[in-house]
Amino acid sequence: MSENSTDQITRAEYCVIACAEIFAGAGEIFASPMTPMATIGARLARLTTEPDLLITDGEYRFLGQTPPLGKLIDFEGYIPFPRVFDVLQAGTRHVVMGANQIDKYGNQNLSAFGEDIQKPTRQMFGLRGAPGNSINHATSYWVGKHSTRVFTESVDIVCGIGYDRYEEGDPAFRFHVIPKIVTNLGVFDFSGPGRTMRAVTLHPGVTAEQVAENTGFEVAGLAEAGVTRDPSAEELRIIREVIDPRGFRNREVPA
Ligand code: F8G
């Protein structure tokens, strides 16, 4: 950081940087960020280090340019659901899904809650694309409220597949990878013991104790975790003036 001091950068802006870095080195793939925060991150990546990322309007159109959130400047092709499945099965996609529950191996639930899942206590979205995504290509997660309700010992139904569901070398799972989980508290991966969740960086101002208190299982690497990097002055300008001038990021992660 040169022109902006750290205390001017909001937590939401650190989350944008962390979401952008999900796509670091991705090249020409289909980026599918499913939430506003992950979308701002993907668009920042496209305007900085990843110009070849394919992005959409979140419905069925590929975007030629990189518009502000909620605006459609142009579109350069169609990507209706049947074509989404073609790309998905080719593996040239990285989705960032949300999650209602995630366990220490990365099993994810966004479908329903309750011990008897045939009679759920609360029905959410259903499994949606989670099983097919997580077995075919890179699947990361964005969680705006890191809490013990989301990060649970076990999930009520597995939608996105975790690392304890298969043996290393099982060919059916050769494309399964969960590169990152980004939350309002930090960045995590699955390089902990036995492929469990590990802290990579915590956002400035977040303590290891805070993460431990808000997670329903032990998080590896908390003592050694680094600090999420500052945005550059140019990245801050792009976030604030180009991609998210209306401040949607602050609705997901209030200052
Ligand atoms: C709970 C809990 C909990 C929540 N325990 N109760 C309850 C108990 C509680 C809360 C209330 C709200 C490719 C592809 C696809 C497609 C293609 C194929 C996908 C075809 C497209 C269509 C399809 C999936 C994309 C996402 C989801 C993004 C989010 C949300 C959220 C919910 C899911 C986290 N632990 N937790 N409750 N979709 N969205 O009563 O009330 O619930 O709780 O890829 O689809 O089919 O396939 O967040 O919920 O990735 O991330 O935001 O609404 O904020 O407020 O927590 O207690 O709070 O009052 P939310 P929340 P209360 S890919």
Side-chain angles (χ1 to χ4, degrees), residues 32-36 81-82 84-85 88 93 95-101 108-114 121-130 132-133 137 140-145 147-152 156 252:
S32 292
M34 293 293 180
T35 58
F81 276 174
V84 173
F85 285 114
L88 187 161
R93 182 170 181 251
V95 68
V96 185
M97 286 191 285
N100 286 117
Q101 293 178 321
Q108 169 252 27
N109 173 19
L110 77 171
S111 180
F113 306 107
T121 51
R122 185 66 65 99
Q123 179 66 50
M124 304 297 282
F125 286 171
L127 278 75
R128 317 309 299 177
N133 291 344
H137 59 62
S140 292
Y141 297 102
W142 156 251
V143 174
K145 270 184 256 165
S147 69
T148 51
R149 189 168 86 166
V150 176
F151 290 96
T152 47
D156 292 356
E252 279 192 89

Short mmCIF file of all heavy atoms in Angstrom, two decimals, residues 32-36 81-82 84-85 88 93 95-101 108-114 121-130 132-133 137 140-145 147-152 156 252, ligand 1:
data_model
loop_
_atom_site.label_atom_id
_atom_site.label_comp_id
_atom_site.label_asym_id
_atom_site.label_seq_id
_atom_site.Cartn_x
_atom_site.Cartn_y
_atom_site.Cartn_z
N SER A 32 -17.34 -18.56 -12.01
CA SER A 32 -18.75 -18.51 -11.60
C SER A 32 -18.89 -18.11 -10.13
O SER A 32 -19.11 -18.96 -9.26
CB SER A 32 -19.42 -19.88 -11.80
OG SER A 32 -19.52 -20.18 -13.15
N PRO A 33 -18.76 -16.83 -9.84
CA PRO A 33 -18.96 -16.37 -8.46
C PRO A 33 -20.46 -16.24 -8.19
O PRO A 33 -21.16 -15.59 -8.95
CB PRO A 33 -18.26 -15.01 -8.45
CG PRO A 33 -18.32 -14.54 -9.87
CD PRO A 33 -18.44 -15.74 -10.76
N MET A 34 -20.94 -16.88 -7.11
CA MET A 34 -22.39 -16.97 -6.91
C MET A 34 -22.96 -15.94 -5.93
O MET A 34 -24.14 -15.98 -5.61
CB MET A 34 -22.74 -18.38 -6.41
CG MET A 34 -22.49 -19.45 -7.44
SD MET A 34 -23.63 -19.26 -8.81
CE MET A 34 -23.15 -20.62 -9.86
N THR A 35 -22.11 -15.08 -5.41
CA THR A 35 -22.57 -14.07 -4.45
C THR A 35 -21.99 -12.71 -4.86
O THR A 35 -21.01 -12.67 -5.60
CB THR A 35 -22.07 -14.39 -3.02
OG1 THR A 35 -20.64 -14.44 -3.09
CG2 THR A 35 -22.61 -15.71 -2.52
N PRO A 36 -22.57 -11.62 -4.37
CA PRO A 36 -22.02 -10.30 -4.74
C PRO A 36 -20.53 -10.17 -4.39
O PRO A 36 -19.74 -9.70 -5.22
CB PRO A 36 -22.87 -9.33 -3.93
CG PRO A 36 -24.19 -10.05 -3.76
CD PRO A 36 -23.83 -11.51 -3.61
N PHE A 81 -28.12 -22.82 -19.43
CA PHE A 81 -27.77 -23.96 -18.57
C PHE A 81 -27.15 -25.15 -19.30
O PHE A 81 -26.15 -25.71 -18.83
CB PHE A 81 -28.97 -24.42 -17.76
CG PHE A 81 -29.18 -23.64 -16.49
CD1 PHE A 81 -30.30 -23.85 -15.71
CD2 PHE A 81 -28.26 -22.69 -16.06
CE1 PHE A 81 -30.50 -23.13 -14.53
CE2 PHE A 81 -28.44 -21.96 -14.90
CZ PHE A 81 -29.57 -22.18 -14.13
N PRO A 82 -27.69 -25.59 -20.48
CA PRO A 82 -27.06 -26.75 -21.12
C PRO A 82 -25.57 -26.52 -21.40
O PRO A 82 -24.76 -27.42 -21.25
CB PRO A 82 -27.85 -26.92 -22.42
CG PRO A 82 -29.16 -26.27 -22.15
CD PRO A 82 -28.88 -25.14 -21.21
N VAL A 84 -23.67 -24.42 -19.70
CA VAL A 84 -22.97 -24.41 -18.40
C VAL A 84 -22.52 -25.83 -18.08
O VAL A 84 -21.38 -26.07 -17.68
CB VAL A 84 -23.87 -23.88 -17.27
CG1 VAL A 84 -23.18 -24.05 -15.91
CG2 VAL A 84 -24.23 -22.42 -17.49
N PHE A 85 -23.41 -26.80 -18.31
CA PHE A 85 -23.05 -28.19 -18.00
C PHE A 85 -21.92 -28.70 -18.88
O PHE A 85 -21.08 -29.47 -18.44
CB PHE A 85 -24.28 -29.10 -18.09
CG PHE A 85 -25.21 -28.93 -16.92
CD1 PHE A 85 -26.48 -28.40 -17.08
CD2 PHE A 85 -24.80 -29.27 -15.64
CE1 PHE A 85 -27.32 -28.22 -16.00
CE2 PHE A 85 -25.63 -29.10 -14.54
CZ PHE A 85 -26.90 -28.58 -14.72
N LEU A 88 -18.82 -27.15 -17.43
CA LEU A 88 -18.64 -27.75 -16.10
C LEU A 88 -17.99 -29.13 -16.22
O LEU A 88 -17.00 -29.44 -15.54
CB LEU A 88 -20.04 -27.83 -15.50
CG LEU A 88 -20.37 -28.23 -14.11
CD1 LEU A 88 -21.77 -27.73 -13.78
CD2 LEU A 88 -20.30 -29.71 -13.92
N ARG A 93 -13.80 -24.57 -15.31
CA ARG A 93 -14.66 -23.65 -14.56
C ARG A 93 -14.19 -23.63 -13.11
O ARG A 93 -13.66 -24.63 -12.62
CB ARG A 93 -16.10 -24.15 -14.64
CG ARG A 93 -17.15 -23.28 -13.94
CD ARG A 93 -18.54 -23.78 -14.30
NE ARG A 93 -19.61 -22.99 -13.70
CZ ARG A 93 -20.40 -23.42 -12.72
NH1 ARG A 93 -20.24 -24.64 -12.19
NH2 ARG A 93 -21.37 -22.66 -12.25
N VAL A 95 -16.06 -22.39 -9.60
CA VAL A 95 -17.24 -21.80 -8.99
C VAL A 95 -16.91 -21.38 -7.56
O VAL A 95 -16.11 -22.03 -6.88
CB VAL A 95 -18.42 -22.81 -9.02
CG1 VAL A 95 -18.18 -23.99 -8.10
CG2 VAL A 95 -19.75 -22.15 -8.64
N VAL A 96 -17.51 -20.26 -7.14
CA VAL A 96 -17.43 -19.87 -5.73
C VAL A 96 -18.86 -19.87 -5.21
O VAL A 96 -19.64 -18.97 -5.50
CB VAL A 96 -16.80 -18.48 -5.55
CG1 VAL A 96 -16.64 -18.16 -4.06
CG2 VAL A 96 -15.44 -18.40 -6.25
N MET A 97 -19.20 -20.93 -4.49
CA MET A 97 -20.57 -21.06 -3.97
C MET A 97 -20.67 -20.50 -2.56
O MET A 97 -19.66 -20.28 -1.89
CB MET A 97 -20.98 -22.54 -3.95
CG MET A 97 -21.28 -23.11 -5.31
SD MET A 97 -22.07 -24.73 -5.21
CE MET A 97 -20.70 -25.74 -4.77
N GLY A 98 -21.90 -20.32 -2.10
CA GLY A 98 -22.16 -20.01 -0.70
C GLY A 98 -22.33 -21.31 0.07
O GLY A 98 -22.21 -22.41 -0.50
N ALA A 99 -22.60 -21.21 1.35
CA ALA A 99 -22.77 -22.42 2.17
C ALA A 99 -23.56 -22.08 3.42
O ALA A 99 -23.30 -21.06 4.05
CB ALA A 99 -21.41 -22.98 2.57
N ASN A 100 -24.49 -22.94 3.76
CA ASN A 100 -25.16 -22.82 5.06
C ASN A 100 -24.41 -23.60 6.13
O ASN A 100 -24.45 -23.23 7.30
CB ASN A 100 -26.60 -23.33 4.98
CG ASN A 100 -27.49 -22.36 4.25
OD1 ASN A 100 -28.04 -22.69 3.20
ND2 ASN A 100 -27.62 -21.15 4.77
N GLN A 101 -23.76 -24.71 5.73
CA GLN A 101 -22.91 -25.47 6.65
C GLN A 101 -21.68 -25.97 5.89
O GLN A 101 -21.78 -26.35 4.73
CB GLN A 101 -23.66 -26.71 7.19
CG GLN A 101 -24.84 -26.40 8.09
CD GLN A 101 -25.55 -27.69 8.52
OE1 GLN A 101 -25.69 -28.64 7.74
NE2 GLN A 101 -25.99 -27.71 9.78
N GLN A 108 -20.13 -29.51 2.19
CA GLN A 108 -20.93 -28.28 2.24
C GLN A 108 -22.41 -28.61 2.10
O GLN A 108 -22.79 -29.54 1.40
CB GLN A 108 -20.48 -27.36 1.09
CG GLN A 108 -21.35 -26.16 0.81
CD GLN A 108 -22.16 -26.29 -0.47
OE1 GLN A 108 -22.47 -27.40 -0.91
NE2 GLN A 108 -22.51 -25.17 -1.07
N ASN A 109 -23.23 -27.85 2.81
CA ASN A 109 -24.70 -28.00 2.74
C ASN A 109 -25.32 -26.64 2.44
O ASN A 109 -25.05 -25.67 3.15
CB ASN A 109 -25.21 -28.55 4.07
CG ASN A 109 -26.74 -28.57 4.16
OD1 ASN A 109 -27.43 -28.51 3.14
ND2 ASN A 109 -27.26 -28.64 5.37
N LEU A 110 -26.10 -26.58 1.38
CA LEU A 110 -26.94 -25.39 1.19
C LEU A 110 -28.37 -25.83 0.87
O LEU A 110 -29.14 -25.12 0.26
CB LEU A 110 -26.39 -24.43 0.12
CG LEU A 110 -26.51 -24.69 -1.38
CD1 LEU A 110 -26.08 -23.48 -2.16
CD2 LEU A 110 -25.87 -25.94 -1.82
N SER A 111 -28.71 -27.05 1.34
CA SER A 111 -29.98 -27.65 0.93
C SER A 111 -31.06 -27.65 2.00
O SER A 111 -32.17 -27.21 1.75
CB SER A 111 -29.71 -29.09 0.49
OG SER A 111 -30.90 -29.69 0.08
N ALA A 112 -30.77 -28.21 3.17
CA ALA A 112 -31.83 -28.39 4.18
C ALA A 112 -31.19 -28.70 5.53
O ALA A 112 -30.02 -29.09 5.60
CB ALA A 112 -32.75 -29.55 3.78
N PHE A 113 -31.99 -28.56 6.59
CA PHE A 113 -31.51 -28.85 7.94
C PHE A 113 -32.41 -29.87 8.62
O PHE A 113 -33.60 -29.93 8.34
CB PHE A 113 -31.48 -27.59 8.80
CG PHE A 113 -30.70 -26.48 8.16
CD1 PHE A 113 -31.36 -25.39 7.63
CD2 PHE A 113 -29.32 -26.55 8.07
CE1 PHE A 113 -30.65 -24.38 7.01
CE2 PHE A 113 -28.60 -25.54 7.45
CZ PHE A 113 -29.27 -24.45 6.92
N GLY A 114 -31.84 -30.63 9.55
CA GLY A 114 -32.61 -31.57 10.34
C GLY A 114 -31.96 -32.94 10.36
O GLY A 114 -31.22 -33.29 9.44
N THR A 121 -36.20 -29.71 9.13
CA THR A 121 -36.72 -28.66 10.02
C THR A 121 -36.80 -27.33 9.27
O THR A 121 -37.60 -26.48 9.59
CB THR A 121 -35.80 -28.50 11.23
OG1 THR A 121 -34.45 -28.33 10.76
CG2 THR A 121 -35.86 -29.70 12.16
N ARG A 122 -35.92 -27.16 8.26
CA ARG A 122 -35.94 -25.97 7.42
C ARG A 122 -35.41 -26.34 6.05
O ARG A 122 -34.35 -26.93 5.94
CB ARG A 122 -35.06 -24.88 8.06
CG ARG A 122 -35.06 -23.53 7.36
CD ARG A 122 -36.40 -22.83 7.42
NE ARG A 122 -36.81 -22.46 8.76
CZ ARG A 122 -36.68 -21.24 9.28
NH1 ARG A 122 -36.14 -20.27 8.57
NH2 ARG A 122 -37.10 -20.99 10.49
N GLN A 123 -36.18 -26.07 5.01
CA GLN A 123 -35.73 -26.37 3.65
C GLN A 123 -35.10 -25.12 3.05
O GLN A 123 -35.72 -24.06 3.05
CB GLN A 123 -36.91 -26.83 2.79
CG GLN A 123 -36.55 -27.15 1.35
CD GLN A 123 -35.63 -28.36 1.21
OE1 GLN A 123 -35.89 -29.41 1.79
NE2 GLN A 123 -34.53 -28.19 0.47
N MET A 124 -33.87 -25.26 2.53
CA MET A 124 -33.21 -24.13 1.86
C MET A 124 -33.28 -24.36 0.34
O MET A 124 -34.29 -24.77 -0.16
CB MET A 124 -31.76 -24.00 2.36
CG MET A 124 -31.64 -23.86 3.88
SD MET A 124 -32.41 -22.37 4.56
CE MET A 124 -31.17 -21.15 4.17
N PHE A 125 -32.17 -24.12 -0.37
CA PHE A 125 -32.18 -24.12 -1.84
C PHE A 125 -32.36 -25.48 -2.49
O PHE A 125 -32.68 -25.56 -3.66
CB PHE A 125 -30.83 -23.60 -2.36
CG PHE A 125 -30.65 -22.12 -2.22
CD1 PHE A 125 -29.42 -21.55 -2.47
CD2 PHE A 125 -31.69 -21.30 -1.86
CE1 PHE A 125 -29.23 -20.19 -2.37
CE2 PHE A 125 -31.51 -19.93 -1.75
CZ PHE A 125 -30.27 -19.39 -2.00
N GLY A 126 -32.00 -26.54 -1.81
CA GLY A 126 -31.80 -27.82 -2.50
C GLY A 126 -30.32 -27.94 -2.87
O GLY A 126 -29.54 -27.02 -2.67
N LEU A 127 -29.96 -29.10 -3.41
CA LEU A 127 -28.52 -29.34 -3.66
C LEU A 127 -27.96 -28.48 -4.78
O LEU A 127 -26.77 -28.24 -4.86
CB LEU A 127 -28.27 -30.83 -3.99
CG LEU A 127 -28.17 -31.74 -2.77
CD1 LEU A 127 -29.51 -32.02 -2.13
CD2 LEU A 127 -27.49 -33.05 -3.12
N ARG A 128 -28.83 -28.02 -5.67
CA ARG A 128 -28.43 -27.19 -6.82
C ARG A 128 -27.26 -27.82 -7.57
O ARG A 128 -27.18 -29.01 -7.73
CB ARG A 128 -28.07 -25.76 -6.38
CG ARG A 128 -28.99 -25.12 -5.40
CD ARG A 128 -30.43 -25.18 -5.76
NE ARG A 128 -30.79 -24.52 -7.00
CZ ARG A 128 -32.01 -24.52 -7.49
NH1 ARG A 128 -32.99 -25.15 -6.86
NH2 ARG A 128 -32.29 -23.91 -8.61
N GLY A 129 -26.30 -26.98 -8.00
CA GLY A 129 -25.18 -27.51 -8.79
C GLY A 129 -24.05 -28.08 -7.96
O GLY A 129 -23.04 -28.51 -8.53
N ALA A 130 -24.19 -28.10 -6.63
CA ALA A 130 -23.03 -28.42 -5.77
C ALA A 130 -22.39 -29.79 -6.03
O ALA A 130 -21.17 -29.87 -6.17
CB ALA A 130 -23.41 -28.28 -4.30
N GLY A 132 -22.34 -31.80 -8.74
CA GLY A 132 -21.68 -31.84 -10.05
C GLY A 132 -20.49 -30.90 -10.12
O GLY A 132 -19.46 -31.23 -10.70
N ASN A 133 -20.64 -29.71 -9.52
CA ASN A 133 -19.51 -28.77 -9.51
C ASN A 133 -18.32 -29.38 -8.79
O ASN A 133 -17.20 -29.39 -9.30
CB ASN A 133 -19.88 -27.48 -8.76
CG ASN A 133 -20.90 -26.64 -9.49
OD1 ASN A 133 -21.13 -26.83 -10.68
ND2 ASN A 133 -21.52 -25.71 -8.78
N HIS A 137 -14.85 -29.87 -11.12
CA HIS A 137 -13.89 -28.76 -11.27
C HIS A 137 -13.70 -28.06 -9.94
O HIS A 137 -14.36 -28.38 -8.94
CB HIS A 137 -14.37 -27.79 -12.35
CG HIS A 137 -15.73 -27.18 -12.08
ND1 HIS A 137 -16.00 -26.39 -10.98
CD2 HIS A 137 -16.89 -27.26 -12.78
CE1 HIS A 137 -17.26 -25.99 -11.03
NE2 HIS A 137 -17.83 -26.52 -12.11
N SER A 140 -14.68 -23.31 -4.79
CA SER A 140 -14.34 -22.58 -3.57
C SER A 140 -15.63 -22.07 -2.93
O SER A 140 -16.71 -22.18 -3.53
CB SER A 140 -13.39 -21.41 -3.89
OG SER A 140 -12.12 -21.90 -4.30
N TYR A 141 -15.51 -21.52 -1.72
CA TYR A 141 -16.70 -21.02 -1.01
C TYR A 141 -16.45 -19.63 -0.46
O TYR A 141 -15.34 -19.31 -0.04
CB TYR A 141 -17.07 -21.98 0.13
CG TYR A 141 -17.46 -23.35 -0.36
CD1 TYR A 141 -16.57 -24.42 -0.28
CD2 TYR A 141 -18.70 -23.58 -0.95
CE1 TYR A 141 -16.92 -25.68 -0.77
CE2 TYR A 141 -19.05 -24.82 -1.45
CZ TYR A 141 -18.16 -25.87 -1.35
OH TYR A 141 -18.50 -27.10 -1.85
N TRP A 142 -17.52 -18.85 -0.44
CA TRP A 142 -17.51 -17.54 0.24
C TRP A 142 -18.56 -17.59 1.36
O TRP A 142 -19.72 -17.97 1.12
CB TRP A 142 -17.85 -16.41 -0.74
CG TRP A 142 -18.41 -15.19 -0.05
CD1 TRP A 142 -19.69 -14.73 -0.09
CD2 TRP A 142 -17.70 -14.30 0.83
NE1 TRP A 142 -19.82 -13.60 0.69
CE2 TRP A 142 -18.62 -13.32 1.27
CE3 TRP A 142 -16.38 -14.23 1.29
CZ2 TRP A 142 -18.26 -12.28 2.14
CZ3 TRP A 142 -16.02 -13.20 2.17
CH2 TRP A 142 -16.95 -12.24 2.57
N VAL A 143 -18.17 -17.25 2.57
CA VAL A 143 -19.08 -17.23 3.72
C VAL A 143 -18.99 -15.84 4.36
O VAL A 143 -17.95 -15.47 4.92
CB VAL A 143 -18.68 -18.32 4.75
CG1 VAL A 143 -19.55 -18.21 6.01
CG2 VAL A 143 -18.83 -19.71 4.12
N GLY A 144 -20.05 -15.08 4.28
CA GLY A 144 -20.04 -13.70 4.77
C GLY A 144 -20.12 -13.57 6.28
O GLY A 144 -19.68 -12.56 6.84
N LYS A 145 -20.69 -14.61 6.94
CA LYS A 145 -20.77 -14.56 8.41
C LYS A 145 -20.15 -15.84 8.97
O LYS A 145 -20.81 -16.87 9.09
CB LYS A 145 -22.24 -14.48 8.85
CG LYS A 145 -22.76 -13.06 8.98
CD LYS A 145 -24.18 -13.05 9.51
CE LYS A 145 -25.17 -12.76 8.38
NZ LYS A 145 -26.56 -13.06 8.69
N SER A 147 -19.31 -18.34 11.40
CA SER A 147 -19.91 -18.62 12.71
C SER A 147 -19.96 -20.12 12.93
O SER A 147 -19.79 -20.91 12.00
CB SER A 147 -21.34 -18.07 12.77
OG SER A 147 -22.15 -18.84 11.89
N THR A 148 -20.21 -20.51 14.18
CA THR A 148 -20.32 -21.95 14.49
C THR A 148 -21.56 -22.55 13.84
O THR A 148 -21.66 -23.76 13.70
CB THR A 148 -20.37 -22.19 16.01
OG1 THR A 148 -21.38 -21.33 16.56
CG2 THR A 148 -19.03 -21.87 16.66
N ARG A 149 -22.52 -21.72 13.43
CA ARG A 149 -23.68 -22.25 12.72
C ARG A 149 -23.29 -22.72 11.33
O ARG A 149 -23.80 -23.73 10.84
CB ARG A 149 -24.78 -21.19 12.64
CG ARG A 149 -26.10 -21.73 12.12
CD ARG A 149 -27.25 -20.78 12.30
NE ARG A 149 -27.34 -19.85 11.18
CZ ARG A 149 -28.38 -19.08 10.93
NH1 ARG A 149 -29.43 -19.12 11.76
NH2 ARG A 149 -28.40 -18.27 9.92
N VAL A 150 -22.40 -22.00 10.70
CA VAL A 150 -21.95 -22.39 9.35
C VAL A 150 -20.84 -23.45 9.45
O VAL A 150 -20.92 -24.49 8.78
CB VAL A 150 -21.44 -21.17 8.56
CG1 VAL A 150 -20.87 -21.60 7.21
CG2 VAL A 150 -22.56 -20.16 8.36
N PHE A 151 -19.82 -23.19 10.26
CA PHE A 151 -18.69 -24.13 10.35
C PHE A 151 -18.97 -25.14 11.46
O PHE A 151 -18.67 -24.91 12.63
CB PHE A 151 -17.39 -23.36 10.55
CG PHE A 151 -17.00 -22.60 9.31
CD1 PHE A 151 -17.33 -21.26 9.17
CD2 PHE A 151 -16.35 -23.25 8.26
CE1 PHE A 151 -17.01 -20.57 8.01
CE2 PHE A 151 -16.03 -22.57 7.09
CZ PHE A 151 -16.36 -21.23 6.96
N THR A 152 -19.58 -26.26 11.04
CA THR A 152 -20.11 -27.25 11.98
C THR A 152 -19.29 -28.54 11.95
O THR A 152 -18.62 -28.84 10.96
CB THR A 152 -21.56 -27.61 11.58
OG1 THR A 152 -21.59 -27.85 10.16
CG2 THR A 152 -22.51 -26.52 11.93
N ASP A 156 -25.73 -31.50 7.71
CA ASP A 156 -26.96 -32.32 7.76
C ASP A 156 -27.17 -33.10 6.46
O ASP A 156 -27.76 -34.19 6.48
CB ASP A 156 -28.18 -31.44 8.06
CG ASP A 156 -28.12 -30.87 9.47
OD1 ASP A 156 -27.18 -31.24 10.21
OD2 ASP A 156 -28.99 -30.06 9.83
N GLU A 252 -22.77 -7.15 2.57
CA GLU A 252 -22.39 -8.50 2.97
C GLU A 252 -21.47 -8.49 4.19
O GLU A 252 -21.56 -9.35 5.05
CB GLU A 252 -21.72 -9.24 1.81
CG GLU A 252 -22.71 -9.80 0.82
CD GLU A 252 -22.04 -10.77 -0.13
OE1 GLU A 252 -21.98 -11.96 0.17
OE2 GLU A 252 -21.59 -10.31 -1.19
C1 F8G B 1 -30.24 -22.37 9.38
C2 F8G B 1 -28.84 -22.50 9.22
C3 F8G B 1 -28.20 -23.50 9.97
C4 F8G B 1 -29.50 -20.97 7.90
N1 F8G B 1 -28.92 -24.24 10.81
N2 F8G B 1 -30.92 -23.12 10.20
C5 F8G B 1 -31.98 -20.99 8.32
C6 F8G B 1 -30.25 -24.06 10.91
C7 F8G B 1 -32.42 -20.09 9.42
C8 F8G B 1 -32.13 -18.71 8.90
C9 F8G B 1 -32.38 -18.86 7.41
C10 F8G B 1 -31.53 -17.97 6.54
C11 F8G B 1 -24.05 -25.07 -12.24
C12 F8G B 1 -24.29 -24.42 -10.94
C13 F8G B 1 -25.56 -24.20 -10.44
C14 F8G B 1 -26.76 -24.38 -11.28
C15 F8G B 1 -26.41 -24.82 -12.74
C16 F8G B 1 -25.27 -25.76 -12.73
C17 F8G B 1 -25.76 -23.81 -9.05
C18 F8G B 1 -27.61 -25.39 -13.44
C19 F8G B 1 -27.59 -23.11 -11.36
C20 F8G B 1 -28.94 -23.48 -10.80
C21 F8G B 1 -28.79 -24.82 -10.32
C22 F8G B 1 -25.15 -23.08 -6.43
C23 F8G B 1 -25.23 -21.58 -6.46
C24 F8G B 1 -25.02 -20.63 -4.21
C25 F8G B 1 -25.75 -19.99 -3.07
C26 F8G B 1 -25.36 -18.53 -2.89
C27 F8G B 1 -25.63 -17.91 -0.53
C28 F8G B 1 -26.68 -17.64 0.45
C29 F8G B 1 -26.77 -18.77 1.52
C30 F8G B 1 -27.95 -18.47 2.43
C31 F8G B 1 -27.04 -20.07 0.84
C32 F8G B 1 -25.52 -18.90 2.38
N3 F8G B 1 -26.88 -23.71 9.86
N4 F8G B 1 -28.42 -21.62 8.31
N5 F8G B 1 -30.60 -21.42 8.54
N6 F8G B 1 -25.77 -21.03 -5.24
N7 F8G B 1 -26.09 -18.03 -1.78
O1 F8G B 1 -33.79 -20.27 9.54
O2 F8G B 1 -32.99 -17.79 9.45
O3 F8G B 1 -32.03 -20.22 7.12
O4 F8G B 1 -30.20 -18.14 6.93
O5 F8G B 1 -23.20 -24.09 -10.29
O6 F8G B 1 -26.84 -23.62 -8.61
O7 F8G B 1 -29.64 -25.46 -9.69
O8 F8G B 1 -27.58 -25.34 -10.64
O9 F8G B 1 -27.64 -17.30 3.09
O10 F8G B 1 -29.09 -17.49 4.95
O11 F8G B 1 -23.83 -20.79 -4.19
O12 F8G B 1 -24.48 -18.01 -0.27
O13 F8G B 1 -26.45 -16.40 0.94
O14 F8G B 1 -29.97 -16.37 3.00
O15 F8G B 1 -28.05 -15.29 4.25
O16 F8G B 1 -29.46 -15.80 6.73
O17 F8G B 1 -27.78 -17.68 7.02
O18 F8G B 1 -32.27 -17.93 11.84
O19 F8G B 1 -31.35 -16.20 10.40
O20 F8G B 1 -33.73 -16.11 11.05
P1 F8G B 1 -28.75 -16.51 3.82
P2 F8G B 1 -29.06 -17.20 6.47
P3 F8G B 1 -32.56 -16.97 10.77
S1 F8G B 1 -24.38 -23.70 -7.94
#
